[in-house]
Amino acid sequence: MDATHLEAVVRRDAALLEDDLAVFLGGLSGDLKDSVYAAALERSLYTPVADALGSKVGQQALPPAAGAPGGRAPLRPSMVYWAYRNYRGFTEEPDSADLAVIRRTAVAVRILLKAAVVLDDIQDGSAVRYGEPALHATHGVPVALNTGSWLIMAALRHVADPAVTDSLVGSVGRGFTGQAADMATRSAEAQAELLAASRAERVRFWESVAAHKTGTLFWMPLDAALAGLRVVEEERRTLDEAMRRLGLASQLFNDLTDVVPEFGGANEDFDGLSNRVSLELLGPAPEEDARSYVLGHPRLPGLLRDLSAEAAELKRSAKELVHGVCRSEASAAYFDITIDRKGHLIDRLCETLRQRGDT
């Protein structure tokens, strides 16, 4: 399969997800008649849900292309559809039972990812997400909390496949567990314990949080699709490990860019000790505030280079694991298109910091 044909398939799959999501949104109000009750739900539920699902979710993967599927809007390839193409091939079977499961799974995953954004922004006090106002900034915290919770239940109900539902329930639990551990780092008790711990224990803590919180964002779409397609357990374990590594690589990238101006560093998360750089450099009693201490630390440049190389290696090894279970070269290329949205930035960060050290 040549690159042009492959991109057409990726675009078609991504456009199908956007179409299915539009159908989901269009059916929200159901048979409600015009009334005060219907108007109240429209303002406090259906409009916030539409705003949450319509917001950006990371980097644009495929820009608009005239004459292509979904050509008028940017498209985000889905790991769910990669799994379908890998295990069921590239032939067109529009009415297959497997594709029906995948279509519902892809919508549910998108909804859950948006619910996570809504709740995470509230917990982190983030007023902006990807250049847009956070949902709680436009609709208020109570409505945003209710919207995020409703989205989780709506996603699980939408799946209509017990194996997929079970996978997604597990993912939701993993995500909340990681978020709890991440929020715990803001407490004085957890900070004292982390600052007193050995480097190895701090790294283990960070990896546990990153695997549950960020890793779940990679693991959830793929595991749900594998469950729906009834993929054998051995390959599911291999892909689970690949997604764990991608999650760690992504979290390392996020942590490092907080202190790298070229990548829009925001200098966040120092005081909460959820940032890997802080965990590596902070001692029991820095003489100044944590941000100034970290940014002025003599070990910082070398640490940034080491951690960026670690992120690049994690991403490389994850792709190697996935390629090992790919059924075709086209499937491997489809995966690369899907995952390299952030992956190429991980590599670019590593190269930027290496070049900085060489000058």
Side-chain angles (χ1 to χ4, degrees):
M1 180 181 295
D2 62 32
T4 300
H5 185 196
L6 176 63
E7 181 172 320
V9 174
V10 176
R11 284 184 177 276
R12 191 159 54 247
D13 291 346
L16 188 59
L17 170 53
E18 299 301 331
D19 291 345
D20 288 342
L21 193 66
V23 171
F24 172 85
L25 285 170
L28 285 181
S29 59
D31 296 326
L32 286 177
K33 306 299 183 183
D34 291 338
S35 65
V36 173
Y37 178 71
L41 283 185
E42 185 67 33
R43 286 190 299 270
S44 294
L45 181 61
Y46 302 136
T47 295
V49 163
D51 288 347
L53 296 182
S55 65
K56 298 174 184 175
V57 61
Q59 296 161 336
Q60 177 177 309
L62 296 172
R72 291 175 294 178
L75 295 173
R76 296 182 287 273
S78 165
M79 197 76 76
V80 175
Y81 275 95
W82 170 79
Y84 176 74
R85 293 301 178 186
N86 186 54
Y87 289 102
R88 296 297 184 267
F90 288 80
T91 57
E92 298 305 316
E93 298 179 45
D95 298 322
S96 74
D98 282 340
L99 182 56
V101 170
I102 286 298
R103 290 178 65 170
R104 298 184 74 85
T105 300
V107 170
V109 164
R110 176 69 67 80
I111 294 170
L112 286 173
L113 290 173
K114 295 304 184 76
V117 167
V118 170
L119 298 177
D120 187 67
D121 284 343
I122 295 171
Q123 292 163 340
D124 291 345
S126 301
V128 176
R129 168 75 67 155
Y130 302 121
E132 298 177 346
L135 195 74
H136 68 90
T138 54
H139 293 281
V141 170
V143 168
L145 275 173
N146 191 68
T147 300
S149 302
W150 186 91
L151 285 171
I152 293 172
M153 299 309 300
L156 296 175
R157 184 173 62 247
H158 185 79
V159 170
D161 181 284
V164 179
T165 300
D166 186 62
S167 171
L168 292 177
V169 168
S171 291
V172 171
R174 283 166 57 113
F176 279 131
T177 299
Q179 188 74 348
D182 182 49
M183 291 189 294
T185 63
R186 303 170 193 173
S187 71
E189 295 86 354
Q191 290 183 23
E193 291 168 353
L194 284 167
L195 291 173
S198 66
R199 176 189 177 277
E201 181 62 25
R202 292 189 198 191
V203 171
R204 281 195 294 270
F205 175 85
W206 178 88
E207 287 182 345
S208 295
V209 174
H212 280 81
K213 184 180 177 183
T214 312
T216 297
L217 301 180
F218 290 90
W219 182 80
M220 176 178 66
L222 188 50
D223 192 74
L226 299 179
L229 295 171
R230 306 318 193 247
V231 173
V232 296
E233 189 63 28
E234 182 179 354
E235 292 202 3
R236 287 183 71 173
R237 286 196 298 269
T238 297
L239 291 169
D240 285 351
E241 174 59 21
M243 296 305 103
R244 186 189 74 85
R245 295 183 191 185
L246 282 175
L248 295 181
S250 180
Q251 190 58 56
L252 269 176
F253 175 84
N254 292 340
D255 289 359
L256 292 171
T257 55
D258 279 343
V259 293
V260 180
E262 295 96 316
F263 286 76
N267 296 336
E268 297 175 343
D269 298 329
F270 289 98
D271 298 331
L273 284 184
S274 61
N275 186 296
R276 175 72 177 272
V277 179
S278 299
L279 288 171
E280 294 273 359
L281 295 180
L282 284 175
E287 296 181 358
E288 51 193 319
D289 70 275
R291 180 177 290 108
S292 298
Y293 182 85
V294 168
L295 294 178
H297 201 288
R299 283 187 51 220
L300 179 63
L303 177 64
L304 293 180
R305 288 193 295 274
D306 290 346
L307 292 181
S308 68
E310 181 180 331
E313 174 56 25
L314 282 165
K315 189 211 78 172
R316 186 205 63 77
S317 64
K319 289 180 68 172
E320 185 177 89
L321 284 174
V322 174
H323 288 173
V325 301
C326 283
R327 298 300 197 260
S328 65
E329 290 184 4
S331 172
Y334 193 128
F335 176 80
D336 291 347
I337 291 172
T338 303
I339 209 62
D340 273 345
R341 288 173 289 167
K342 178 166 284 189
H344 80 283
L345 289 178
I346 291 173
D347 292 333
R348 200 174 87 195
L349 173 64
C350 183
E351 181 62 19
T352 296
L353 292 172
R354 187 193 66 77
Q355 290 178 353
R356 183 191 291 178
D358 291 342
T359 58

